[in-house]
Amino acid sequence: MEERVTFGSKIGIILATAGSAVGLGNVWRFPYMTGQNGGAAFILAYLGCVLILGLPCIISEFIIGRRGAANTARAYSNMARGRAWKFIGYLGVLTGFLITGYYAVVAGWCLQYMFASVSGALRGDAAFVSRYFTSYTHSTWLPVLTTLLILLCTHGIVLRGVKGGIERASKYMMPLLFLFLIVIVVASCSLSGAWKGVEFLLHPDFSKLTGDVFLGALGQSFYSLSIGMGCICTYASYYSKDTNLLKSAVQVSLVDTLVAVLAGLMIFPAAFSVGVNPDSGPALIFITLPNVFNEAFSAMPGVGPLVAFMFYGLLSMAALTSLISLHEVSTAFVVEELDMSRKKATVGVTLGTWLLGTLCSLSLGGAAGLTLWGKSLFDVFDYVTGQLFLPIGGFLTCLFLGWFVPKTWVYEEFTNRGTVWRSMFPVYLFLLRFVCPVAILTIFLKQQGCF
Ligand code: PHE
């Protein structure tokens, strides 16, 4: 059998996989969910969810990817030995492809904001920034072009392959992202009145821990760790036989959680220092924040735009490393299933996702009528992938690996053929068989409004 390409180094594996996990979910979704759900208490619930749900699910995708040794669809079918379960793999590829379209649109907004923060287009009060955001996202051409721009960056990296493209890009971008993050956290925490923001993030009020907060945290941990759409599985197919799966999963989750908490420490202190409430929801990043940066640093000319530029720069990089992993899911699928060269496959996937992104973007206002069931296409893709396909894929994956795949295969992969973590295997198997499916099913039914 032909040897499959692998990542070149352990650090490359961690940075590439963490690059997939660290994305808009950490810097955009996590802070606003924390703001809306009572701060520190939400973070504690989130940590619990990562530990009991996120880790076993990531490890499961690692196992399927490495043992299946192919793109997500074929990896599942290799493990399923030809039976109906392989459709979970196809669902993963489809979910990854659909998400790429709308994720690229939001990533394009980040690029646009990066330029706008230095060109002065964001200078004005909150109402002004809000009008800017609406007119930009509702316009026809500009968001379509920024979507194309970020997809072309993704394309250039994926085209160069696993080692020379994905691994190399992650090795540059992830450290840079951390650097920007730390600089902004320090700037934000040194503002007067910033302490209230730090306290909000780190001082838990347990009376806020309701069932809803827990369910929100469960959903967020899933999304943030890129579980259920083939990314982790595809990357794991490039891991070497000696990669320590449990250790890698812990490292990736730690990096992902650290970035999310640091993102909170970047945003809340600045927001509290100018008296802005952090519970404004999804608009927090694109409407509230530019103005917060303007006001918070108004005493130091030039610093506000610089901080904003770095903030949207790091957001764009975080989105880009996630987009690469999403793109690779479809590219690996096309290369292996349709027997195409990597170059042709990459071009096809880039064009396909751009078309999808264009439709999503236009559906926000540029071309009215692009709706399904009364919702814009953008919202439909968000809903169908995030709230339907993702939990269904995750749920079935747990059942598949926990109950259907021969236990010896799972054991061999988890313990690297009996050499590591043998005593942890029963714990993993218990979580995989019982706790994860029940937890995922609960979030799913809750999201569907069943209780
Ligand atoms: N985990 C990414 C984030 O936090 C989102 C993502 C999901 C990326 C699935 C790739 C695949 O933003």
Side-chain angles (χ1 to χ4, degrees):
M1 205 174 83
E2 200 186 316
E3 217 20 59
R4 189 171 177 75
V5 274
T6 55
F7 286 116
S9 61
K10 278 189 197 148
I11 183 80
I13 286 181
I14 301 301
L15 290 181
T17 314
S20 169
V22 170
L24 297 170
N26 303 60
V27 190
W28 177 43
R29 208 162 176 264
F30 183 83
Y32 85 70
M33 300 255 328
T34 307
Q36 282 179 331
N37 290 297
F42 176 81
I43 298 184
L44 279 183
Y46 179 79
L47 292 179
C49 294
V50 168
L51 210 62
I52 51 171
L53 177 76
L55 276 179
C57 285
I58 292 200
I59 295 173
S60 304
E61 288 206 23
F62 280 171
I63 290 179
I64 296 172
R66 186 169 72 173
R67 179 100 189 187
N71 69 81
T72 300
R74 195 176 301 180
Y76 273 82
S77 68
N78 285 346
M79 299 286 270
R81 290 158 297 160
R83 294 188 227 176
W85 288 102
K86 68 179 180 208
F87 286 100
I88 317 172
Y90 288 103
L91 185 69
V93 175
L94 178 68
T95 314
F97 182 72
L98 294 179
I99 287 191
T100 321
Y102 91 82
Y103 200 85
V105 174
V106 184
W109 298 352
C110 303
L111 270 190
Q112 169 72 15
Y113 265 60
M114 201 170 123
F115 300 126
S117 38
V118 279
S119 74
L122 295 177
R123 222 166 287 149
D125 58 9
F128 173 83
V129 182
S130 168
R131 278 198 304 277
Y132 176 85
F133 179 71
T134 314
S135 87
Y136 162 61
T137 52
H138 285 54
S139 62
T140 310
W141 288 110
L142 198 52
V144 170
L145 282 178
T146 47
T147 305
L148 178 63
L149 203 58
I150 195 97
L151 278 172
L152 285 178
C153 298
T154 314
H155 178 92
I157 294 166
V158 173
L159 191 64
R160 287 179 173 75
V162 174
K163 252 191 223 168
I166 299 173
E167 183 171 352
R168 209 161 139 235
S170 313
K171 277 186 176 167
Y172 284 108
M173 279 195 282
M174 293 305 284
L176 197 59
L177 189 146
F178 258 100
L179 181 72
F180 279 19
L181 202 57
I182 304 280
V183 171
I184 305 176
V185 168
V186 171
S188 174
C189 288
S190 57
L191 291 165
S192 76
W195 187 246
K196 268 189 280 169
V198 178
E199 201 180 325
F200 177 76
L201 264 183
L202 301 182
H203 190 267
D205 170 1
F206 290 105
S207 66
K208 298 253 167 68
L209 270 186
T210 60
D212 275 354
V213 169
F214 256 104
L215 289 176
L218 272 174
Q220 171 63 17
S221 63
F222 224 68
Y223 181 84
S224 187
L225 293 170
S226 306
I227 294 164
M229 30 197 141
C231 295
I232 300 291
C233 184
T234 305
Y235 273 11
S237 73
Y238 306 127
Y239 286 8
S240 84
K241 288 270 165 284
D242 304 319
T243 305
N244 187 325
L245 298 186
L246 175 60
K247 193 167 148 203
S248 306
V250 170
Q251 286 168 334
V252 168
S253 313
L254 275 179
V255 172
D256 188 64
T257 307
L258 188 67
V259 172
V261 173
L262 285 177
L265 278 177
M266 170 165 84
I267 292 168
F268 292 117
F272 273 91
S273 82
V274 292
V276 164
N277 210 341
D279 63 358
S280 59
L284 181 69
I285 294 295
F286 291 108
I287 295 177
T288 319
L289 219 50
N291 189 48
V292 165
F293 288 142
N294 281 339
E295 278 190 39
F297 298 99
S298 59
M300 296 170 271
V303 174
L306 182 67
V307 170
F309 175 78
M310 285 172 80
F311 177 79
Y312 291 105
L314 91 83
L315 205 55
S316 305
M317 272 191 293
L320 182 57
T321 48
S322 296
L323 268 178
I324 296 169
S325 70
L326 284 163
H327 196 298
E328 178 64 19
V329 174
S330 302
T331 305
F333 176 80
V334 174
V335 170
E336 291 167 7
E337 300 305 306
L338 308 182
D339 217 1
M340 239 185 226
S341 70
R342 187 165 185 94
K343 192 169 169 199
K344 276 194 192 146
T346 315
V347 172
V349 173
T350 303
L351 286 177
T353 44
W354 186 43
L355 179 68
L356 214 64
T358 301
L359 293 175
C360 283
S361 178
L362 291 178
S363 76
L364 288 177
L370 282 174
T371 52
L372 265 181
W373 307 296
K375 283 180 171 184
S376 69
L377 275 189
F378 186 96
D379 290 338
V380 171
F381 281 131
D382 184 15
Y383 174 78
V384 170
T385 52
Q387 311 221 8
L388 290 182
F389 289 0
L390 236 160
I392 293 176
F395 175 72
L396 292 176
T397 298
C398 293
L399 294 187
F400 174 60
L401 202 64
W403 298 98
F404 179 76
V405 169
K407 210 165 87 184
T408 49
W409 291 10
V410 182
Y411 177 80
E412 279 172 16
E413 290 301 318
F414 185 87
T415 62
N416 280 358
R417 298 161 306 283
T419 56
V420 289
W421 300 118
R422 284 193 306 253
S423 58
M424 289 305 282
F425 184 69
V427 181
Y428 163 70
L429 202 64
F430 176 75
L431 291 173
L432 177 68
R433 284 186 160 177
F434 302 101
V435 180
C436 294
V438 172
I440 297 170
L441 194 66
T442 315
I443 325 177
F444 181 67
L445 294 177
K446 169 79 187 171
Q447 279 175 339
Q448 301 313 310
C450 297
F451 60 89

